[in-house]
């Protein structure tokens, strides 16, 4: 089976102006076939996320007219805009909507679903999206609509902004992408208002960003990030936040959006594997955005000099939102307009500087979490997740069911490049069940094709083993395929184990089950609302590679050595305090210096 949402890298999509014109031409033909006599452009199967979708198609038609002056489009734009102004603007409170601060305000809003009282929780983002559709239309309709319609649209957009920021609690879903999108809407709206009123809206938008979003950033892997549905980052919505930060900077010129966008971009670059696979998040743990992410990944990838376009998007939404039948949907339509308007080109070469939370070279990468434990290991096109034992998750030594990977104190990191090799040494103080503090030294070395991992710590009593990862997925052309094994060799005995018990809290990689499905089964709230990361943390056991200690290690140490990727027999040798010889390199983990930092010498063979 293939993973549903993670497909080809986003930078593989043609992004020439000719390619975009072809996309818009297809949208035009679909829309002209679909438009009803009253001007409705909604997809016939659309039920939720509907309140802004006809307006979104209108924005694409207006933009296509601006580029090509197709004579069929002015009438369609005017008729569809009239439909939205007449049929999709609500000013009476939605019964049951819980997030209002002002009752009976009379301000306009958009509905997530059209029925009164049905699923009203989505009205806030639907209104933010409707605001963005409206201001995008205002940007591209000079000479296309008459003064009466244009004035009505400006007044509607201003009303949406006031409903979002005055009549309701701001950002009730704690979704960073929605919140930043709302700010972008205010910044774009300000340009269409009289000067004094526009400056007031612009200033309010900047204050909202500072007070309601930036002040509430959360930390993950050393970065401060806009919170996403209550968590630090979501691999579906995080890159969408990056696109909103890009547009905010393009519209306003304010340095704060560039600074925060670059910080988020560097974070994404560090957590993203070389092959573009990623998982984890507080809303959807494997669902990926596509065209919604292009602007931010391209814009900030260029600014920081990183190949963020390797991010695997969902190619079914490669250009615009679609329904299951492939028909265009107006959801997020403004993002296609913005990415076409922006002339930035993809930066296609990896960033060269070493970063704390990633090791990357060639086709190999290791992304590390905040504890400097691998969150994803990639080698030979196969992706390994942290395995689980006794409700403990990670990569590291296990003794009597206790996983030694959670630091109790400062984690030290040293990066070395030598002779075509890239290495990272991670040293952690770790406390076991016996309350003894041990120093776990983990060495990661790659030649760009293979990854060697060596873990050493003071000799343990008993029979420890190394938890060496859950084989989970592998590249398969432009798709990602679920797997249950990978190519691994170990200096000691190696075994692939599967859970002895069945149930949602035991993940067997041989089952046709995705990590996201398993995580939601364990989450406290329904799918789409529960936190899959929290659910996954309830996992008791999983499929895992387990490696026994390497023979010939120094007598005072337990040393585990594994190699991920292709190769023959793996028989490393050891001498001195800790010198390791493999078929590709010699590594010397040196004694600590005066500051307690360990040294690392690396030589290719």
């Amino acid at each position: 089976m293939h993973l549903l949402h993670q497909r080809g890298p986003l930078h593989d999509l043609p992004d020439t102006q000719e390619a975009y014109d072809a996309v818009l031409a297809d949208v035009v033909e679909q829309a002209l076939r679909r438009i009803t006599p009253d001007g409705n452009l909604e997809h016939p199967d659309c039920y939720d996320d509907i309140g802004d979708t006809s307006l979104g198609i209108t924005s694409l038609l207006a933009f296509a007219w601006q580029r090509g002056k197709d004579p069929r489009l002015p009438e369609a734009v005017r008729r569809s805009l009239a439909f939205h102004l007449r049929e999709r603007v609500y000013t009476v409170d939605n019964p049951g909507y819980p997030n209002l601060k002002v009752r009976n305000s009379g301000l306009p809003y958009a509905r997530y679903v059209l029925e009164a009282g049905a699923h009203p929780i989505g009205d806030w983002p639907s209104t933010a999206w409707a605001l963005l559709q409206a201001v995008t239309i205002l940007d591209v309709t000079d000479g296309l609509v008459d003064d009466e319609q244009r004035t009505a649209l400006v007044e509607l957009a201003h009303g949406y902004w006031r409903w979002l920021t005055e009549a309701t609690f701001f950002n009730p879903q704690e979704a960073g992408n929605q919140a930043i999108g709302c700010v972008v809407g205010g910044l774009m709206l300000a340009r269409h208002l009289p000067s004094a009123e526009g400056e007031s809206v612009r200033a309010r938008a900047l204050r909202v960003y500072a007070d309601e979003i930036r002040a509430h950033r959360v930390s993950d892997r050393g970065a401060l990030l806009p919170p996403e549905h209550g968590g630090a980052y979501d691999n579906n919505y995080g890159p969408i936040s990056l696109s909103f930060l890009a547009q905010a900077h393009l519209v306003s010129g304010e340095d704060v959006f560039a600074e925060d966008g670059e910080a988020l971009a560097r974070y994404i670059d560090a957590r993203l594997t070389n092959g573009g696979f990623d998982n984890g998040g507080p809303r959807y743990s494997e669902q990926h955005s596509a065209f919604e992410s292009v602007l931010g990944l391209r814009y900030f990838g260029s600014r920081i000099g990183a190949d963020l376009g390797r991010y695997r998007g969902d190619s079914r939404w490669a250009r615009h939102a679609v329904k299951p039948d492939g028909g265009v949907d107006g959801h997020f339509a403004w993002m296609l307009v913005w990415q076409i308007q922006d002339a930035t080109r993809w930066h296609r070469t990896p960033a060269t500087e070493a970063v704390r939370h990633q090791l990357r070279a060639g086709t190999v990468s290791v992304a590390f979490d905040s504890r400097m434990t691998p969150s994803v290991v990639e080698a030979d096109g196969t992706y390994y997740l942290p395995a689980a034992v006794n409700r403990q998750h990670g990569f590291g030594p296990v003794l009597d069911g206790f996983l030694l990977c959670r630091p109790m104190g400062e984690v030290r990191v040293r990066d070395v490049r030598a002779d075509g090799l890239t290495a990272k040494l991670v040293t952690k103080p770790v406390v076991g069940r016996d309350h003894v503090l041990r120093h776990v030294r983990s060495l990661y070395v790659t030649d760009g094709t293979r990854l060697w991992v060596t873990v050493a710590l003071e000799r343990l009593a008993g029979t420890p083993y190394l938890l060496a990862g859950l084989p989970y997925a592998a590249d398969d052309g432009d798709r990602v395929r679920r797997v249950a094994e990978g190519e691994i060799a170990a200096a000691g005995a190696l075994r692939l184990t599967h859970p002895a018990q069945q149930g949602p809290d035991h993940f067997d990689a041989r089952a046709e089950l995705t990590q996201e499905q398993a995580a939601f089964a364990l989450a406290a709230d329904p799918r789409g609302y529960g936190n899959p990361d929290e659910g996954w943390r309830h996992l008791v056991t999983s499929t895992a590679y387990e490696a026994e200690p390497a023979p010939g290690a120094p007598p005072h140490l337990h040393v585990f050595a594994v190699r991920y990727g292709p190769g023959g027999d793996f028989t490393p040798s050891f001498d001195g305090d800790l010198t390791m010889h493999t078929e590709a390199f010699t590594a010397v983990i040196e004694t600590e210096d005066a500051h307690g930092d360990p040294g690392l010498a690396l030589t290719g063979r």
Side-chain angles (χ1 to χ4, degrees):
M1 61 178 289
H2 289 101
L3 299 185
L4 185 61
H5 298 278
Q6 302 206 30
R7 300 179 182 228
L10 290 179
H11 62 203
D12 286 353
L13 293 168
D15 64 345
T16 63
Q17 291 303 305
E18 294 76 12
Y20 284 132
D21 281 334
V23 172
L24 289 172
D26 176 62
V27 170
V28 165
E29 297 306 321
Q30 287 194 53
L32 292 179
R33 290 193 302 269
R34 177 187 299 170
I35 192 168
T36 64
D38 63 354
N40 187 353
L41 285 169
E42 293 160 1
H43 190 285
D45 295 335
C46 193
Y47 172 73
D48 54 16
D49 274 324
I50 192 173
D52 66 294
T53 59
S54 182
L55 197 61
I57 301 293
T58 304
S59 75
L60 294 177
L61 296 183
F63 187 53
W65 177 83
Q66 185 189 67
R67 289 169 68 85
K69 298 299 187 289
D70 185 330
R72 300 173 297 171
L73 295 181
E75 191 273 337
V77 168
R78 294 165 192 155
R79 186 149 52 99
S80 61
L81 181 53
F83 167 80
H84 183 84
L85 292 170
R86 184 180 65 249
E87 303 290 342
R88 293 294 180 260
V89 177
Y90 297 87
T91 56
V92 175
D93 294 352
N94 199 343
Y97 188 71
N99 297 311
L100 291 175
K101 293 196 298 183
V102 179
R103 293 286 178 186
N104 303 313
S105 69
L107 293 170
Y109 66 95
R111 286 185 175 174
Y112 180 73
V113 298
L114 300 181
E115 294 93 332
H119 212 315
I121 192 172
D123 288 356
W124 200 90
S126 290
T127 304
W129 293 172
L131 169 62
L132 290 166
Q133 311 284 22
V135 293
T136 299
I137 291 173
L138 290 171
D139 277 357
V140 299
T141 53
D142 284 341
L144 182 57
V145 299
D146 59 32
D147 290 344
E148 183 179 356
Q149 271 197 327
R150 188 172 187 85
T151 298
L153 188 59
V154 171
E155 291 176 353
L156 176 63
H158 196 186
Y160 283 153
W161 168 253
R162 292 189 58 202
W163 188 87
L164 290 162
T165 58
E166 298 175 21
T168 71
F169 290 98
F170 185 80
N171 189 22
Q173 294 185 12
E174 296 183 342
N177 74 99
Q178 298 171 8
I180 303 171
C182 178
V183 167
V184 172
L187 294 170
M188 295 179 69
L189 169 67
R191 302 184 300 184
H192 297 283
L193 297 172
S195 58
E197 197 171 21
E199 184 52 42
S200 174
V201 169
R202 174 188 165 91
R204 176 73 185 277
L206 294 176
R207 286 198 306 273
V208 166
Y209 182 74
D211 298 342
E212 302 290 346
I213 301 171
R214 201 165 198 263
H216 298 281
R217 289 176 298 170
V218 292
S219 177
D220 187 47
R221 309 183 194 195
L224 288 174
L225 308 171
E228 190 54 66
H229 286 281
Y233 177 83
D234 185 283
N235 61 29
N236 184 19
Y237 295 112
I240 297 176
S241 285
L242 194 66
S243 287
F244 283 132
L245 288 167
Q247 182 70 359
H249 186 242
L250 288 165
V251 170
S252 72
E254 293 288 336
D255 289 341
V256 66
F257 298 117
E259 293 167 4
D260 291 355
E262 289 176 9
L264 177 55
R266 291 190 178 94
Y267 170 87
I268 293 174
D269 189 39
R271 72 171 287 145
L272 194 61
T273 57
N274 178 76
F277 171 84
D278 188 20
N279 79 305
R283 183 67 184 270
Y284 297 109
S285 53
E286 285 185 348
Q287 292 192 36
H288 271 42
S289 49
F291 80 98
E292 317 100 294
S293 303
V294 166
L295 174 64
L297 294 169
R298 196 173 64 189
Y299 184 77
F300 283 110
S302 178
R303 287 185 67 94
I304 69 171
D307 56 335
L308 298 185
R310 69 188 191 276
Y311 178 96
R312 286 185 177 270
D314 191 332
S315 56
R316 295 167 302 177
W317 282 38
R319 300 300 194 180
H320 47 68
V322 297
K323 288 300 182 184
D325 65 358
V328 63
D329 182 0
H331 197 46
F332 273 96
W334 68 83
M335 205 70 87
L336 176 59
V337 176
W338 299 349
Q339 68 168 272
I340 297 174
Q341 290 173 327
D342 178 57
T344 305
R345 301 271 61 83
W346 286 113
H347 183 95
R348 294 182 178 272
T349 56
T352 56
E353 68 275 10
V355 295
R356 181 178 177 89
H357 292 92
Q358 189 186 64
L359 173 73
R360 182 182 176 206
T363 59
V364 171
S365 63
V366 184
F368 296 88
D369 64 18
S370 292
R371 305 179 305 183
M372 286 306 296
T373 296
S375 60
V376 185
V377 168
E378 172 195 20
D380 195 31
T382 300
Y383 304 99
Y384 305 84
L385 303 181
V389 56
N390 289 346
R391 298 189 186 276
Q392 304 157 95
H393 299 200
F395 290 74
V398 177
L399 179 64
D400 297 331
F402 188 82
L403 174 60
L404 294 161
C405 75
R406 294 172 296 280
M408 180 63 71
E410 188 67 21
V411 179
R412 302 174 192 249
V413 177
R414 184 177 181 87
D415 290 280
V416 172
R417 287 189 175 97
D419 300 335
L421 301 165
T422 305
K424 187 183 294 286
L425 176 63
V426 177
T427 304
K428 299 181 184 181
V430 175
V431 173
R433 290 195 194 279
D434 56 6
H435 294 229
V436 173
L437 187 68
R438 295 179 174 86
H439 287 74
V440 177
R441 292 173 289 178
S442 301
L443 174 63
Y444 305 84
V445 181
T446 180
D447 61 359
T449 302
R450 298 163 292 180
L451 173 70
W452 291 265
V453 178
T454 306
V455 179
L457 75 165
E458 295 90 335
R459 180 165 286 271
L460 301 168
T463 55
Y465 64 88
L466 180 73
L467 196 65
L470 157 65
Y472 180 69
D475 293 338
D476 186 14
D478 61 353
R479 298 294 300 275
V480 179
R481 176 173 46 88
R482 278 278 286 108
V483 298
E485 58 184 354
E487 190 165 4
I488 299 183
L494 179 70
R495 55 188 173 267
L496 178 62
T497 66
H498 302 286
Q501 297 176 273
Q502 295 183 342
D505 50 0
H506 302 279
F507 187 82
D508 192 325
R510 297 170 297 182
E512 290 196 355
L513 186 71
T514 67
Q515 184 270 346
E516 181 180 284
Q517 290 169 327
F520 269 119
L522 295 169
D525 296 305
R527 182 176 177 84
Y529 299 92
N531 184 334
D533 273 7
E534 287 185 357
W536 187 252
R537 281 193 283 270
H538 292 300
L539 196 69
V540 176
T541 60
S542 74
T543 293
Y545 276 106
E546 300 175 355
E548 294 186 0
H556 64 293
L557 297 175
H558 265 127
V559 177
F560 306 90
V562 295
R563 184 191 64 210
Y564 301 81
D569 292 338
F570 180 47
T571 56
S573 61
F574 306 89
D575 58 55
D577 182 54
L578 186 51
T579 298
M580 178 182 181
H581 307 277
T582 74
E583 70 276 24
F585 63 87
T586 294
V588 181
I589 300 178
E590 300 168 341
T591 56
E592 298 171 350
D593 63 16
H595 302 287
D597 292 321
L600 174 63
L602 185 66
T603 306
R605 298 181 67 178

